[in-house]
Amino acid sequence: TNNITLARNSSNIEGNAADFVINQQGISITLVYVDATKGWITTDTGNSSDAYVNDYIVATGGTITCCGDYKIHTFTGPGTLCVTSGGTPVGSDTVDYLVVAGGGGGDSGFSNRAAAGGGGAGGYRASGYGPSPLQGLASSVSIQGYPITVGAGGTQNCASNGANSIFAGITSAGGGYGFGGQNLPAPAGGPGAGPGGSGGGGDYAPNGTPGAGNTPPVDPPQGNAGGNGNEGPSPADPSSVYPAGGGGGAMAVGGDGPGASSGQVGGAGGAGAPNAITGSATFYAGGGGGGVGRPCAVRTGGPGGNGGGGTGGPGAPGVSGTAGTANTGGGGGGGASQAPSVGPGGAGGSGIVIIRYKFQN
């Protein structure tokens, strides 16, 4: 802002008959007089930023906790990771991350038999502290602000996909919605569960197909497909409970709705993945369980996948699937279906972004 001018006072500076302007912030300079031709010449320069270099990353943002020599920034909503020192390889110059998107919502059941599929889990992407097949590379950082997006869970009933979570160009896709006949036409333009980080579960065949997982594709994959529903032998058969499929999870596909011989339970949500980035292992990105139709004490909704997946609705009038757990990316449970009313699905759980790096030794 304010340059320094060294007046030459009739002597040359660096061989020039002109004043010398210092216009670099934080600079120091040493000049020595040598002769009438050269006058004053620069013999040494240095910058204040060169006097001390922090070997470790320094950053602010989110909720900050420590685990030994590591700092952990947890974002349960939007924010900014502000990096004020990029560190060096001697200390730390990369961060580990966990980026989980919002889970898909479970749909409502349809008619007096057809239950709805569970929502798919939000996409799961991590650089460490979890299952090795799902681990990506740690991310380098520089001095700047990194906007953080934490995806919301998908809505229930006429369900929607979960929203994406983003950190430093790493995007986890929202989970796909579970499908039920109530969702005609589906948001994607036709019958069938939504694709996403993990796909949603389908309702009974042949009306609905499960949603694809790992969409859009990344490597390692961020999730799995949902499960199929089952139509049963005939509408007149009491065993035709039309169990719906479970939503996919980070570690496994969603379970199919069982056949007529064992059709008292909806398809299970796909298993989520454990991750210990915070210092203790926690499961994330479990799929929502599928619902079932028609009342019976032994007909229960499919269990949600560990990692926040909601349970599917049981075969009882108007009973809803449960919501996915907040900040896990779990899919919502599919709605049950039984006259005179159909049960709504559960909303998807919101996502989470966690950043970890070494800050001391």
Side-chain angles (χ1 to χ4, degrees):
T1 302
N2 300 296
N3 294 336
I4 299 172
T5 301
L6 299 182
R8 73 186 192 89
N9 289 334
S10 75
S11 297
N12 290 344
I13 301 178
E14 295 285 358
N16 297 313
D19 293 342
F20 186 84
V21 177
I22 301 173
N23 61 7
Q24 297 300 307
Q25 182 173 330
I27 203 76
S28 65
I29 186 169
T30 303
L31 301 98
V32 173
Y33 185 84
V34 293
D35 57 34
T37 302
K38 287 289 187 180
W40 296 88
I41 64 170
T42 303
T43 61
D44 185 50
T45 61
N47 196 290
S48 58
S49 64
D50 297 329
Y52 173 73
V53 176
N54 196 331
D55 284 331
Y56 296 93
I57 293 170
V58 178
T60 59
T63 300
I64 302 174
T65 56
C66 293
C67 180
D69 294 331
Y70 292 84
K71 277 190 178 177
I72 301 154
H73 297 247
T74 300
F75 294 86
T76 56
T80 303
L81 181 75
C82 295
V83 178
T84 55
S85 170
T88 72
V90 174
S92 63
D93 60 357
T94 62
V95 300
D96 282 304
Y97 58 84
L98 171 67
V99 181
V100 179
D107 200 8
S108 292
F110 181 65
S111 78
N112 69 343
R113 293 182 302 276
Y124 168 100
R125 301 187 68 182
S127 63
Y129 302 96
S132 57
L134 303 183
Q135 289 183 14
L137 298 175
S139 177
S140 60
V141 292
S142 58
I143 299 174
Q144 62 176 295
Y146 292 89
I148 304 292
T149 300
V150 175
T155 58
Q156 60 185 143
N157 297 341
C158 285
S160 65
N161 280 18
N164 297 348
S165 290
I166 305 170
F167 161 68
I170 299 156
T171 300
S172 293
Y177 59 83
F179 182 73
Q182 191 76 1
N183 209 9
L184 288 170
S198 283
D203 74 343
Y204 72 93
N207 286 358
T209 57
N214 194 31
T215 304
V218 292
D219 186 22
Q222 58 181 316
N224 292 276
N228 284 290
N230 191 287
E231 188 172 14
S234 73
D237 190 324
S239 65
S240 297
V241 296
Y242 292 74
M251 292 285 288
V253 299
D256 294 339
S261 62
S262 58
Q264 285 84 20
V265 63
N275 193 287
I277 193 170
T278 62
S280 60
T282 302
F283 279 84
Y284 300 91
V292 294
R294 291 187 168 171
C296 178
V298 296
R299 290 173 183 163
T300 58
N306 50 356
T311 302
V319 179
S320 63
T322 59
T325 304
N327 300 126
T328 66
S337 122
Q338 169 61 33
S341 61
V342 296
S350 55
I352 194 167
V353 174
I354 304 175
I355 312 299
R356 174 177 172 140
Y357 56 86
K358 194 171 187 179
F359 76 100
Q360 65 180 15
N361 192 358

